[in-house]
Amino acid sequence: QDGDDAWLGAFAARGGLRHLLRLLTAPAEELLGQHRGSQRKTCLVLLLRVVGQLLLEEATQATPAPAPAVAGAQLQPPHDAATAQSTPAPAPAGARDEPRWTGRRFAPLRDASLAALAAEVALSAHLMGLVRHIALAEAAVCAEASGSVDPPPPPPAAEEDVHIVREALRLLVACSHSPAEGGAAGSAQEPQAARLPADLPSLREWVAAMLLRCRVPEVREEACAALYALARDDFAAEHPSSPPQAGGGGAAPGASAASARVPSPLHALVGEMLSLLPPAGAEASRSEQFFELLRSLVGRCPSCSLPDLPAAALFARLLQLQQSHPVVERRDAPELVDHELVGYLRLMRVLLRAQPHLKRQPVDAGGADGGTHLVVAIFDDLFRLPSVEEARRIGALTPPQCKTPRCRAAALALLAELAEREPANLSL
């Protein structure tokens, strides 16, 4: 270990690490340009892995050197000891069936000097631009391959793109949790949105590009894992050896007051994602990972509430979105899942479990009791059948709203939650 540290120090002192970062921080269009040849994506994956080996803590990211790339060879995902051997992060109270990426571990940077170097070359900005370019390029390729609303299978090059996104996001999470990348404020609690460079698109646009506009599910899953790690407030506790704040171990004067005025990364990200609801057009068909991430993040918020959006107000908004949602699932296409509706139903269940009083809270729907109104509405979504004449007139999009097994399971789970310890709802 001492020998490795000495070699790394000597390599960095002679400008080797800075040279690799200079190569990596070229514009995405330059890195992935056709003039780079047919192996450009394979070479970029290897470059990202080498930089990761040099920047990240070896104890938590043991990625062996990949085999030399040859024409036609397939890249293998690196073995990540942190992912394979670590136990998943403790789930929030009441959380169930969390996506598997919530247990992913991301290594911190080795020390503060590397964090300062990453900040000097604006590594986070370039990494975000790179993965966004990959996501939107894949969207363009898929759109050209199919004119339908439904996403076609990923193109042949998608596997290499997934590797690029995975390696780039590992570096991005490490840099973003480093105070040196946080700008002048230097607060470890400063939200990720406030740390983004001014020349980058907003966090809202970046999230939309990665989770709604990207057509490759594997890329969306990688983005979910990274965003979930960025929003977690226990990253520093898991990595006590992560780079300390500049200027010593103590907090800067006024730091606590500044952090009190600025929303946490978790609240900032949830707020931006809620502003994207409802997803527009074809984005709804690609919203499965988006809603999975939002559900996991809302579950981590204390009592599922935001500083400027209590759980009751969020529940009312979700109920309105669910009630106004059109019928999407078709009788003649059993494989077409309404991911947007499933997302609303699962989000409402998370809120009801955290705030049981919402089962009885009145809503603006004819003055009816909130639980009664929702029970009836969800029951109709599952079982209401139109008349024969109406069914013939509507066609394949005739009610009920929940037709696929996944959607019906989400609605039944919500009904069961509404009836839990609520005799009035159970008796309906």
Side-chain angles (χ1 to χ4, degrees):
Q1 181 65 42
D2 293 340
D4 292 342
D5 291 340
W7 183 91
L8 174 61
F11 183 78
R14 288 167 173 78
L17 180 56
R18 187 180 296 273
H19 176 68
L20 292 180
L21 291 176
R22 187 181 303 114
L23 295 176
L24 185 57
T25 53
E29 295 79 2
E30 170 68 18
L31 285 172
L32 298 172
Q34 296 288 340
H35 65 283
R36 293 287 186 180
S38 60
Q39 295 295 311
R40 60 190 180 279
K41 292 186 177 181
T42 301
C43 293
L44 180 55
V45 173
L46 298 178
L47 174 61
L48 286 164
R49 289 181 181 174
V50 170
V51 171
Q53 287 284 344
L54 297 173
L55 290 182
L56 304 182
E57 277 192 1
E58 185 176 358
T60 52
Q61 67 91 34
T63 304
V70 295
Q74 290 187 347
L75 283 168
Q76 297 298 322
H79 173 74
D80 193 336
T83 301
Q85 300 175 5
S86 64
T87 56
R96 298 174 192 168
D97 53 57
E98 288 290 322
R100 59 182 181 180
W101 41 256
T102 57
R104 288 271 295 275
R105 291 293 184 269
F106 289 82
L109 297 179
R110 289 175 179 267
D111 55 52
S113 63
L114 296 179
L117 178 59
E120 180 182 339
V121 298
L123 183 58
S124 288
H126 289 284
L127 291 172
M128 290 186 71
L130 174 62
V131 296
R132 179 180 180 274
H133 177 85
I134 291 286
L136 297 185
E138 288 303 335
V141 169
C142 292
E144 183 178 341
S146 172
S148 64
V149 173
D150 301 334
E159 182 180 1
E160 290 176 325
D161 294 324
V162 172
H163 286 294
I164 293 173
V165 170
R166 178 182 299 125
E167 299 297 331
L169 289 178
R170 291 171 70 234
L171 292 170
L172 175 63
V173 171
C175 293
S176 299
H177 278 291
S178 168
E181 283 262 334
S187 170
Q189 299 300 321
E190 187 180 0
Q192 174 66 9
R195 292 201 298 262
L196 294 179
D199 58 337
L200 274 182
S202 66
L203 177 61
R204 179 178 184 272
E205 197 280 337
W206 193 80
V207 170
M210 297 302 301
L211 297 182
L212 295 175
R213 297 168 63 188
C214 175
R215 290 181 177 264
V216 183
E218 293 82 2
V219 171
R220 298 199 296 266
E221 289 182 358
E222 294 295 331
C224 284
L227 287 167
Y228 186 78
L230 287 171
R232 286 176 53 193
D233 54 4
D234 55 353
F235 184 89
E238 284 190 354
H239 303 287
S241 60
S242 57
Q245 293 189 32
S256 58
S259 62
R261 292 191 303 266
V262 179
S264 70
L266 174 61
H267 292 160
L269 181 55
V270 171
E272 295 290 358
M273 295 184 71
L274 289 175
S275 70
L276 292 168
L277 296 179
E283 293 178 355
S285 65
R286 301 186 288 272
S287 62
E288 178 180 7
Q289 290 78 18
F290 175 89
F291 279 105
E292 284 183 347
L293 176 61
L294 182 57
R295 178 167 56 93
S296 298
L297 294 177
V298 169
R300 294 192 68 90
C301 295
S303 301
C304 294
S305 295
L306 301 178
D308 56 347
L309 187 64
L314 177 55
F315 184 82
R317 183 182 175 195
L318 292 173
L319 178 58
Q320 180 184 16
L321 289 170
Q322 183 268 332
Q323 290 291 283
S324 61
H325 187 66
V327 177
V328 173
E329 296 184 345
R330 303 172 59 92
R331 292 182 302 177
D332 57 352
E335 74 284 354
L336 179 60
V337 178
D338 188 351
H339 295 297
E340 183 180 352
L341 178 59
V342 171
Y344 294 146
L345 296 173
R346 290 181 173 176
L347 264 173
M348 287 192 288
R349 185 185 177 213
V350 168
L351 290 170
L352 290 176
R353 295 175 65 195
Q355 302 278 354
H357 68 89
L358 293 176
K359 302 175 185 180
R360 305 179 299 274
Q361 177 176 309
V363 296
D364 296 327
D369 177 80
T372 302
H373 176 273
L374 186 56
V375 167
V376 173
I378 301 302
F379 191 88
D380 286 346
D381 289 341
L382 279 167
F383 302 112
R384 185 179 74 86
L385 295 176
S387 64
V388 175
E389 294 76 12
E390 184 181 2
R392 289 174 178 173
R393 178 177 57 82
I394 297 175
L397 292 176
T398 185
Q401 197 173 39
C402 301
K403 297 183 180 71
T404 63
R406 185 181 303 183
C407 192
R408 295 178 69 83
L412 287 169
L414 180 58
L415 283 176
E417 187 61 42
L418 283 164
E420 181 73 20
R421 299 183 179 179
E422 291 293 334
N425 291 346
L426 185 61
S427 63
L428 290 174

